[in-house]
Amino acid sequence: MPENKMYLPEGLRPRAPLTPALLRDAQDHNTILEAPVIRCDAERTLHVSLGPMEGLIPRTEAISPWIGGADRDIALLSLVGKPVCFAVSSLAADGKGAPRALLSRRAVQERAITQFMETLEPGTVLTCRVTHMESFGAFLDIGCGVVAMLPIERISVSRIPHPAARFRTGQKILAAVLSVDRENRRFTMTHRELLGTWMENASYFSPGETVQGIVRSIRDYGAFVELAPNLSGLADLKDDVAEGDRVSVYIRSIRPEHMKIKLQIIQRLTPAVYPVPLRYQITDGTLEHWVYSPPCYEKPPVATDFTALGL
């Protein structure tokens, strides 16, 4: 099981009816709970849906100050309509005698980041949730709203034009820690190693088959067609094919010693549906050394040494 099971990303924590008894028990035992934010008032207090009881997260308790953008209103406004995790600070009554719970998301984030800084190291596999995407990469919630960066070049071996070609916002994925910046309390993640080696991906295909693929790039000498997120082959150019097209391809040959797959494009198909399904070969534990290229590969191996990244 991934190593952040105690501090899951927001939106992935199992929910139970938040009764007054459960809230009192959570306060006594410092339990992490989760519920959706229903509004953010003019004072930037978050109002959380707790059923019969009102839940309030004051602005100062909504986001830890070390999180990038925590001082900006948009960081709070963007939480409306989304689940957030929290600890119960106090249970009391408002001015009209109605029950009310004061909550702290910040306290939970501080607990999570302290645990992460003490235990996570390069290669550690985590359950993550995609929060948003930019052209340079995807931002991942690695636990309790703690956000880490996944650079686009670390998403898959097959190159993509934008993270949206691989993920959707809110998607649950797995990723491994690439580096830890302890001074700034930041993590950088990697994803491609969990999708398997060249041989693991190539084992799903055989010469003589016709399969589906996505044209990822076109060069003067041919078109690179993605058969799986970590596997591409080279096909001869075809006039009516463009980057991003979904095509059917005939597999002419698979050559592990050259790490090459020779393809022939048969025809264009209906547009690709994103995101492409992911098939993880690694789902937990801590990676030390990952080699993408086959043992018989005639060139220096394509690999990631997580032990070196931890220095």
Side-chain angles (χ1 to χ4, degrees):
M1 181 177 291
E3 296 300 314
N4 58 340
K5 53 185 177 294
M6 296 296 295
Y7 297 97
L8 289 172
E10 291 178 319
L12 301 184
R13 185 174 296 276
R15 296 188 205 173
L18 298 179
T19 63
L22 187 147
L23 291 169
R24 284 193 295 271
D25 184 75
Q27 181 183 16
D28 293 340
H29 296 91
N30 209 18
T31 305
I32 299 173
L33 300 177
E34 184 175 285
V37 176
I38 54 177
R39 68 187 177 97
C40 178
D41 65 25
E43 302 300 322
R44 298 301 182 256
T45 295
L46 300 179
H47 295 247
V48 178
S49 176
L50 299 180
M53 184 179 295
E54 182 181 30
L56 302 177
I57 305 179
R59 177 177 184 148
T60 56
E61 296 299 319
I63 304 177
S64 291
W66 47 265
I67 293 181
D71 58 338
R72 297 164 54 196
D73 281 352
I74 189 63
L76 294 172
L77 303 180
S78 63
L79 295 174
V80 175
K82 299 177 182 177
V84 297
C85 57
F86 54 83
V88 179
S89 302
S90 66
L91 296 171
D94 62 16
K96 299 179 181 180
R100 183 177 69 180
L102 289 179
L103 314 172
S104 177
R105 182 172 180 251
R106 172 178 175 172
V108 171
Q109 290 182 330
E110 292 289 354
R111 285 166 55 188
I113 195 66
T114 298
Q115 176 73 9
F116 291 165
M117 285 294 162
E118 291 177 353
T119 62
L120 299 187
E121 58 188 43
T124 305
V125 178
L126 304 178
T127 300
C128 308
R129 188 176 63 83
V130 179
T131 62
H132 61 289
M133 295 175 279
E134 301 289 347
S135 59
F136 51 84
F139 292 87
L140 309 180
D141 179 350
I142 63 172
C144 299
V146 176
V147 177
M149 176 66 188
L150 172 59
I152 189 170
E153 67 272 14
R154 306 298 308 193
I155 292 178
S156 61
V157 173
S158 179
R159 296 182 180 182
I160 51 176
H162 191 278
R166 192 70 72 213
F167 304 135
R168 69 178 187 278
T169 300
Q171 182 177 355
K172 174 184 174 181
I173 67 169
L174 298 176
V177 176
L178 182 66
S179 65
V180 181
D181 181 347
R182 302 192 185 281
E183 180 178 355
N184 295 302
R185 308 176 88 180
R186 293 176 182 171
F187 296 90
T188 302
M189 309 298 290
T190 185
H191 181 259
R192 63 184 187 181
E193 290 83 0
L194 308 186
L195 297 175
T197 66
W198 192 92
M199 287 296 294
E200 286 170 334
N201 282 271
S203 68
Y204 293 100
F205 304 94
S206 300
E209 289 185 319
T210 299
V211 298
Q212 301 176 41
I214 299 174
V215 178
R216 289 302 186 194
S217 65
I218 295 178
R219 299 289 185 266
D220 292 339
Y221 50 85
F224 286 95
V225 179
E226 175 188 304
L227 303 180
N230 264 16
L231 188 72
S232 294
L234 184 63
D236 293 334
L237 293 175
K238 193 174 177 66
D239 292 339
D240 63 341
V241 169
E243 292 183 4
D245 283 349
R246 189 168 70 99
V247 296
S248 59
V249 291
Y250 175 79
I251 301 177
R252 297 168 60 181
S253 64
I254 298 177
R255 302 182 65 184
E257 70 278 10
H258 299 301
M259 208 160 64
K260 291 182 178 180
I261 298 178
K262 187 65 176 175
L263 305 171
Q264 178 181 343
I265 296 175
I266 303 301
Q267 61 181 347
R268 293 174 61 197
L269 302 173
T270 55
V273 177
Y274 294 110
V276 175
L278 301 173
R279 180 190 288 123
Y280 289 112
Q281 299 293 330
I282 299 170
T283 58
D284 57 17
T286 299
L287 301 173
E288 293 185 354
H289 192 68
W290 178 78
V291 181
Y292 175 71
S293 49
C296 59
Y297 187 48
E298 57 189 8
K299 296 180 180 180
V302 178
T304 304
D305 186 354
F306 288 95
T307 59
L309 295 171
L311 297 178

